[in-house]
Amino acid sequence: MNKEKWYMRKYLIVFVILGCIAGCKQSEKSDNKIIIPIDLEKMHEIDLQGEYAMRICLTDNGNPALVDEVKKILFVEGQYIIQGRNKILAFDAQSGVCKMSFSGQGRARDEFISLWDAWIEGKTICIYDMNGKKILRYDFNGNLSEVISIADKASNYPFQVLAKTIGGYYVGKRVYGSVKHNIELNLYDKDFEFVKEIGDLKIESGIYLGYPFFVYSPTEVLYHRYLYNDIYAIDDKQNVTVKYYVDFGENNVPLNPNFKDEYDRIDFVNNSKKDYGTLVSNIYESDKYFCFRFLCERGKCLGVYDKSSGEAASFVFTPFSSASIIDVYVFDDKALLVTQDMDKTCLTTISVDDLLKNNR
């Protein structure tokens, strides 16, 4: 069974996007980390057909495009790069027109068995095939430019996902192995060779729900973990510290010492009648804002922390009557809501500035 669906059965996957940082609440600092309070009862409701919303529906050769299983969205040079089910697609951010797509699934050298992760390096789309033990690089036109085998690299420290640092190295989340309590984060060189373990986080399971783990902020790499509320910053010296803590108050999932691993926490949430805030993901940071998505009974939610004022706000979005909200991201200080309606996938943007007008 799909792990995300399994985890979300308590919530019925309503997929209503909510805002994540509590309305009109002031954040606090503790031990150099910023605590962002979230009140699930105080979220602003935003109509996706409202005056600030701009909607485009994706098309391919003039026909409506339905992207099968949107796993990840990247934004670069005026286009959205979408990682679907073993397929990469690029759409113009203004018109929604498909500019490029490729799959290449197979076992040949220039194909991938599974599209596990995707990221951007300069003008290159990088594909990680964990099962095929290789990384493939494509240009923005979908042309394959390089295939790098990693079968003999970092064999004792395999990675699940990667993020490239400013210095050209990579930070990777380690694959869960037979030995428990391994260090979770590793450093790899530009050729994907293992360099060293970093930080002291211990890997608990191999669960992978498809959400991005890493994101670049202006000066560092931010990292999050499933089912926990800490957001970590990894600096250029590979120091790992908690930068933000998302506090749902009485709706936090308890840190039960009897939980053996993340699966115990999942079972606890699924079997509970309490509305917990969880699955903080799709994190984003700019000079002005820190934003993230989370999940509660009302669906997927968006939170905004205003750095200048220190205030936080949260939002729930109402889609078109027949549409379902699939996910929410933030790019260039604009919320991006992914909806699907019958045979089409649509993208709606609302600037964070306009969202915060509801918080004044």
Side-chain angles (χ1 to χ4, degrees), residues 119-286:
W119 67 93
I120 302 295
E121 292 183 15
K123 295 183 178 295
T124 301
I125 302 171
C126 299
I127 300 299
Y128 178 35
D129 178 5
M130 189 168 72
N131 292 328
K133 295 182 173 57
K134 58 189 172 185
I135 292 172
L136 301 91
R137 290 189 165 121
Y138 299 80
D139 64 24
F140 288 166
N141 294 318
N143 300 311
L144 180 64
S145 60
E146 187 179 15
V147 179
I148 303 172
S149 173
I150 58 172
D152 298 325
K153 300 181 180 182
S155 58
N156 294 324
Y157 299 88
F159 47 83
Q160 188 180 50
V161 288
L162 286 175
K164 192 170 186 178
T165 66
I166 296 174
Y169 283 70
Y170 293 88
V171 174
K173 180 184 186 296
R174 186 173 179 176
V175 171
Y176 182 73
S178 58
V179 180
K180 240 188 172 184
H181 304 304
N182 289 330
I183 294 297
E184 185 167 316
L185 297 175
N186 295 329
L187 186 70
Y188 301 87
D189 67 17
K190 61 183 179 62
D191 297 315
F192 307 102
E193 297 279 3
F194 171 79
V195 176
K196 65 178 181 179
E197 297 175 333
I198 61 175
D200 57 5
L201 298 176
K202 307 293 185 181
I203 191 167
E204 294 187 353
S205 75
I207 187 171
Y208 181 63
L209 304 180
Y211 304 132
F213 283 95
F214 296 100
V215 68
Y216 295 102
S217 75
T219 59
E220 57 205 358
V221 175
L222 298 184
Y223 173 70
H224 76 90
R225 311 171 82 197
Y226 294 145
L227 312 176
Y228 295 92
N229 298 358
D230 291 315
I231 308 298
Y232 298 88
I234 306 171
D235 65 20
D236 58 355
K237 295 180 175 58
Q238 295 85 52
N239 297 309
V240 182
T241 56
V242 178
K243 185 172 185 178
Y244 299 104
Y245 176 76
V246 181
D247 185 4
F248 295 104
E250 64 179 17
N251 299 100
N252 282 324
V253 179
L255 295 175
N256 190 329
N258 295 321
F259 291 159
K260 296 179 181 178
D261 53 30
E262 291 172 332
Y263 293 104
D264 282 353
R265 293 173 64 83
I266 288 172
D267 287 340
F268 175 83
V269 173
N270 285 339
N271 295 324
S272 175
K273 295 182 179 180
K274 190 176 181 65
D275 184 13
Y276 288 111
T278 186
L279 272 185
V280 173
S281 187
N282 293 2
I283 53 180
Y284 164 87
E285 187 175 41
S286 67

Side-chain angles (χ1 to χ4, degrees), residues 60 92 138 204 275 299 309 325 337 351-352:
D60 187 7
D92 184 89
Y138 299 80
E204 294 187 353
D275 184 13
S309 67
I325 295 181
L337 296 107
S351 75
V352 174

Side-chain angles (χ1 to χ4, degrees), residues 19-28 35-44 302-306 309-315 355-360:
C20 187
I21 302 175
C24 296
K25 286 206 170 185
Q26 199 79 12
S27 62
E28 301 175 4
I35 300 175
I36 303 172
I38 306 301
D39 189 339
L40 299 184
E41 301 298 322
K42 296 181 180 180
M43 291 188 288
H44 303 287
L302 174 69
V304 177
Y305 165 65
D306 187 330
S309 67
E311 291 186 347
S314 57
F315 306 91
L355 286 176
L356 289 178
K357 292 176 182 177
N358 296 275
N359 202 44
R360 300 183 183 121

